Amino acid sequence: MSTKHVPPSANSVSFNCPNCGALAHQSWFRLGIDPLDKDTTPHILTSGIVDNVIKDLDDDDKANAEKQLRQYTRGVPFIPNPKTTCYGINILGNAHVSRCYSCNKVAVWLYDKLAYPAEQYGPEPNDDLPGDILRDYQEASTILDLSPRGAAALLRLCIQKICIHLEEDGKDLNADIGSLVEKGLDPRVKKSLDTVRVVGNESVHPGQIDMRDDRETASKLFNFVNLIVEIMISQPKHIDTLYEEKVSEGKKEAIKKRDGASD
């Protein structure tokens, strides 16, 4: 028996979330506007700014603050926690936000039309995809059906940016992916990237349109972006988290001494 699908609507408190797809209750919010000082522009937090802020925080504050600040760099709307409120601000007419009870993400509405998120056709991005790369990934997802060649070009650019994020040179993807293999990336991933012309003799420069690209090629590139992030970012992060949470300080010191003695 198929699950009932309820399209998102500004006249409903329960529909399939445009972010996670779950049929769930939606909470609605008005939007307030608070004027900035004259000649002041919005303060856009970049990954570099957040990195500098986080490194100066005490360890007790760092974990929660980083999670909150990283949301700004992803370039998507969200409701801060703790919430920041101002009294006496003006309401922005014909604009509302809905928040999904299932995934806690928000959607932005203008009048009765969904303005964000744009309809996406690619797979969900890995949660650890850096914010500046995530925006390229999401753009590729929104144009997958309209322009698979454009989506493929953006996704090759994502792979190049991931390499740079992982401290590779970023100029030669063949060399960068080879270096990542030495650092733990499965060699089969490098071999598979040849089939979508990221590496190999027929490789296409990141960001350039390849007239041979089709929807199948772009779909594979989405998966490769997520796979590289999973192996090179997510898995090491999970291991580090387990180590910090489960291994006592005494055992950590013993491991340091053991590893030092074996060098």
Side-chain angles (χ1 to χ4, degrees):
M1 185 175 176
S2 60
T3 303
K4 181 182 178 182
H5 178 79
V6 180
S9 169
N11 297 312
S12 178
V13 294
S14 181
F15 49 74
N16 285 88
C17 172
N19 284 294
C20 70
L23 178 57
H25 179 78
Q26 308 289 326
S27 300
W28 285 93
F29 301 83
R30 289 188 295 267
L31 293 178
I33 52 174
D34 185 23
L36 299 176
D37 294 336
K38 184 181 178 182
D39 298 327
T40 300
T41 59
H43 186 50
I44 307 299
L45 288 182
T46 64
S47 295
I49 292 173
V50 170
D51 288 341
N52 287 331
V53 171
I54 289 171
K55 73 180 181 181
D56 293 329
L57 294 176
D58 295 332
D59 289 341
D60 292 340
D61 302 327
K62 190 168 292 186
N64 288 332
E66 180 170 9
K67 184 177 180 181
Q68 175 88 351
L69 289 169
R70 292 294 178 202
Q71 291 188 78
Y72 284 98
T73 68
R74 293 174 75 84
V76 298
F78 70 102
I79 298 174
N81 186 25
K83 301 179 182 68
T84 54
T85 60
C86 297
Y87 293 103
I89 61 175
N90 294 317
I91 298 300
L92 181 63
N94 277 339
H96 294 84
V97 162
S98 59
R99 181 170 63 182
C100 174
Y101 182 80
S102 178
C103 69
N104 213 37
K105 293 180 180 178
V106 302
V108 179
W109 299 74
L110 296 180
Y111 193 54
D112 61 350
K113 298 289 187 287
L114 181 66
Y116 173 88
E119 190 170 4
Q120 298 188 10
Y121 302 93
E124 282 291 308
N126 184 296
D127 286 341
D128 291 315
L129 192 64
D132 56 332
I133 307 172
L134 174 67
R135 287 189 286 277
D136 291 332
Y137 183 101
Q138 290 176 324
E139 183 178 344
S141 183
T142 62
I143 65 171
L144 176 60
D145 279 353
L146 182 66
S147 176
R149 293 168 184 166
L154 281 168
L155 292 165
R156 289 192 184 93
L157 184 62
C158 286
I159 293 174
Q160 181 188 44
K161 288 183 175 182
I162 291 169
C163 290
I164 294 171
H165 178 81
L166 294 170
E167 300 183 346
E168 300 300 334
D169 187 67
K171 295 179 181 177
D172 183 345
L173 278 179
N174 254 320
D176 289 348
I177 298 297
S179 176
L180 292 182
V181 168
E182 294 177 2
K183 295 176 181 178
L185 183 66
D186 191 320
R188 290 173 294 184
V189 176
K190 184 177 190 294
K191 199 175 290 186
S192 298
L193 288 173
D194 193 4
T195 67
V196 287
R197 298 182 293 281
V198 172
V199 300
N201 295 330
E202 294 188 70
S203 60
V204 181
H205 193 276
Q208 287 189 350
I209 297 290
D210 182 352
M211 300 305 291
R212 296 168 292 176
D213 284 336
D214 53 18
R215 197 182 193 285
E216 182 182 2
T217 299
S219 296
K220 289 179 179 177
L221 282 163
F222 280 111
N223 293 329
F224 284 129
V225 168
N226 283 327
L227 183 59
I228 295 170
V229 173
E230 175 64 27
I231 295 172
M232 302 305 298
I233 299 178
S234 299
Q235 290 181 6
K237 186 179 81 170
H238 295 328
I239 292 170
D240 288 343
T241 299
L242 281 173
Y243 179 80
E244 290 300 321
E245 291 178 350
K246 303 297 183 182
V247 180
S248 67
E249 291 302 321
K251 287 185 178 179
K252 288 176 186 176
E253 288 301 318
I255 291 170
K256 287 180 182 178
K257 289 178 181 178
R258 180 202 67 194
D259 292 345
S262 62
D263 289 340

